[in-house]
Amino acid sequence: MKFGTSGLRGLSVDLVAGGASIYANAFGRYLIESGKAKLGDPIFVGRDFRDSSPAIAAICVEVLKDVGFEVCDCGTTPTPALAHYSMRKSAASLMVTGSHIPADRNGIKFYNPDGEIAKPDEAAITALAANARTTKAYVDQGLANQDHAGKCLDLFYQRNIGLLPVGALSGLKIGVYQHSTVAGDFIAEVLAYYGARVVPLGRSATFIAVDTEAVSNETIALLADWTKLYGLDAIVSADGDGDRPLVADERGIPLRGDLLGVMAAQFLCADVVVTPVTSNSGIEALGVPVRRTRVGSPFVIAGMKEALAAGKERVVGFEANGGLLTASACSVRGHFIDPLPTRDCMLPILVAVSLIASRNEPLSTIARSYNLPITASDRLENFPTADGIRLIDHLRASEANLAVFLKDAGDVASRNDVDGVRVALVDKRIIHFRASGNAPEMRCYVEAATETAAMTLLGIGLDRLRHWVSAKGGASEGGDR
């Protein structure tokens, strides 16, 4: 188990067997020892729909009770709703979720009273977990008695129903791909409030891992079929814990998450945008100052804090997966919006679909109007972490190594090592390799002038990764691996 780009991750069986109790205990002790909370304070716990989540949540509840907290259950709720609710209560919280990773894995996201924990917090919690004081075996004894689920969702609902004018989505027919996300019903309810005709789609009792940054071909085919079958203006969805949005146009083609972030930042009149290096390189051309970070919400949050310290007033962050973060309060149409420095799926969804109505244009046309370079991304699953580290080190070691590895892609013009290896080719195409922080996966991101060129480059990148795996990191001709 380890911290990734957002929260702790590990195999579900390991979390149930002892990992959850160790890290929940470490989190509770950290809150007390750091002065962020005191004995007797409330702490809120939520979870997603994975089969292992109720047991892990129940174990965390018992552990935190033992530490000395008043534990409050928020049930199955979207992560941004839990974070928003606990921040309003000036209390810490804990969300049991594996987000978008496969169902045999799970995780825990931790929140200080002022928002998502930062990298120094992760390091301190990890150190406490490594020196756990207790060997007590915790088992599922049921969840906390205090039920805050309704209050948590209602507060988040109130946050979202003032963003657009009443009836702003009237006349639109929007599908909601509910699969197994905890945000499925909530998204449908908010869209219906604004007058949209909502079509629920694809609800599943079995957990489905939906990665909004690498939407599978099977999912895209489903979206395309549904848009034709029901005559939809758009289909929206989210990942398992509801902090990453998925918005597909009238053809069922998903919009890139960084485009959704741009739309939301413009809607909020941001005076600075903080986003990782994986987000579209064309964002800088849109006129809003941009700060680039490593991948992961803790790095975006740190960048947003730096922007606030520099005097910026409307600070917005987003990731290539579409999750939106806000570091400063703002007002939209007289509706006050609290800062929410953790990923949120709902605001980007509302902004994107509202543009269909306000511009009276298809979403595909609206997306093209931003004139951003064409981007694409995918992942190679079951890519051992050690192999990923070895590959990145190899590519960084010399210009020759990088040139040979990318011989089928083109000539290298420049390289950026902020997170993984991001390469600008001589013909201005971009290819970027980085190891996932959440699972044993290698990710590939590309940019090009046309969709054909982008998909061709993505195919080349994935082929090079497969070659590396098949070679088991062994040397081959020309120093390639």
Side-chain angles (χ1 to χ4, degrees), residues 213-215 256 375-379 443-446 455 458:
E213 199 171 2
V215 184
R256 285 280 302 181
T375 58
S377 62
D378 206 342
R379 57 187 174 171
R443 290 183 178 267
C444 180
Y445 312 81
V446 301
M455 296 309 296
L458 181 62

Side-chain angles (χ1 to χ4, degrees), residues 69-416:
F69 288 98
E70 177 188 345
V71 185
C72 305
D73 180 27
C74 289
T76 49
T77 193
T79 293
L82 175 71
H84 181 236
Y85 186 68
S86 61
M87 287 178 64
R88 275 287 191 94
K89 299 287 186 180
S90 299
S93 58
L94 176 157
M95 177 73 181
V96 176
T97 178
S99 188
H100 62 284
I101 62 178
D104 65 331
R105 297 176 178 271
N106 211 327
I108 305 174
K109 295 181 179 179
F110 301 97
Y111 292 84
N112 290 322
D114 61 350
E116 187 175 332
I117 63 171
K119 286 299 177 182
D121 300 317
E122 290 180 0
I125 294 167
T126 299
L128 288 169
N131 296 284
R133 296 174 183 169
T134 177
T135 58
K136 177 178 177 180
Y138 287 91
V139 296
D140 184 349
Q141 298 181 20
L143 294 166
N145 292 326
Q146 293 197 49
D147 183 7
H148 286 253
K151 295 176 182 178
C152 176
L153 284 174
D154 183 66
L155 185 65
F156 199 51
Y157 181 77
Q158 294 302 320
R159 172 187 176 85
N160 284 285
I161 62 171
L163 293 172
L164 306 176
V166 175
L169 305 182
S170 295
L172 297 185
K173 191 176 184 182
I174 302 174
V176 178
Y177 178 31
Q178 297 186 315
H179 58 94
S180 51
T181 174
V182 287
D185 289 334
F186 183 84
I187 292 171
E189 186 177 359
V190 173
L191 294 176
Y193 169 83
Y194 285 114
R197 183 180 173 189
V198 175
V199 181
L201 301 165
R203 196 180 191 97
S204 173
T206 302
F207 186 82
I208 299 174
V210 173
D211 186 348
T212 65
E213 199 171 2
V215 184
S216 69
N217 290 331
E218 293 79 8
T219 298
I220 293 174
L222 276 177
L223 300 176
D225 288 344
W226 283 330
T227 55
K228 293 176 184 176
L229 179 62
Y230 297 104
L232 302 174
D233 294 293
I235 296 179
V236 300
S237 186
D239 64 340
D241 66 320
D243 68 349
R244 299 178 176 204
L246 173 62
V247 178
D249 65 21
E250 74 283 356
R251 303 166 298 171
I253 298 176
L255 272 62
R256 285 280 302 181
D258 41 21
L259 174 56
L260 298 177
V262 167
M263 292 173 173
Q266 291 178 337
F267 176 81
L268 295 173
C269 301
D271 54 15
V272 66
V273 162
V274 182
T275 193
V277 293
T278 50
S279 291
N280 197 298
S281 64
I283 294 171
E284 278 82 351
L286 297 178
V288 178
V290 180
R291 289 174 176 248
R292 295 282 180 165
T293 72
R294 291 179 60 188
V295 175
S297 51
F299 297 111
V300 175
I301 292 168
M304 293 196 302
K305 289 180 178 178
E306 292 173 0
L308 287 174
K312 299 297 184 180
E313 296 182 353
R314 291 199 171 211
V315 180
V316 173
F318 59 82
E319 298 185 89
N321 56 47
L324 187 81
L325 308 91
T326 52
S328 46
C330 58
S331 178
V332 177
R333 300 178 47 260
H335 177 64
F336 180 80
I337 305 174
D338 290 338
L340 187 55
T342 195
R343 289 189 301 235
D344 170 28
C345 78
M346 198 67 236
L347 195 150
I349 287 173
L350 287 176
V351 171
V353 296
S354 71
L355 291 175
I356 304 171
S358 63
R359 296 191 185 183
N360 194 29
E361 291 179 323
L363 191 52
S364 61
T365 301
I366 295 169
R368 284 195 299 272
S369 72
Y370 283 82
N371 293 316
L372 293 174
I374 302 299
T375 58
S377 62
D378 206 342
R379 57 187 174 171
L380 198 62
E381 297 181 284
N382 301 314
F383 197 108
T385 301
D387 285 352
I389 294 172
R390 187 160 55 247
L391 170 58
I392 296 301
D393 288 344
H394 172 73
L395 296 180
R396 289 174 173 173
S398 72
E399 293 181 2
N401 287 354
L402 187 61
V404 171
F405 189 81
L406 292 175
K407 61 187 177 184
D408 296 331
D411 295 329
V412 175
S414 63
R415 187 186 85 199
N416 182 317

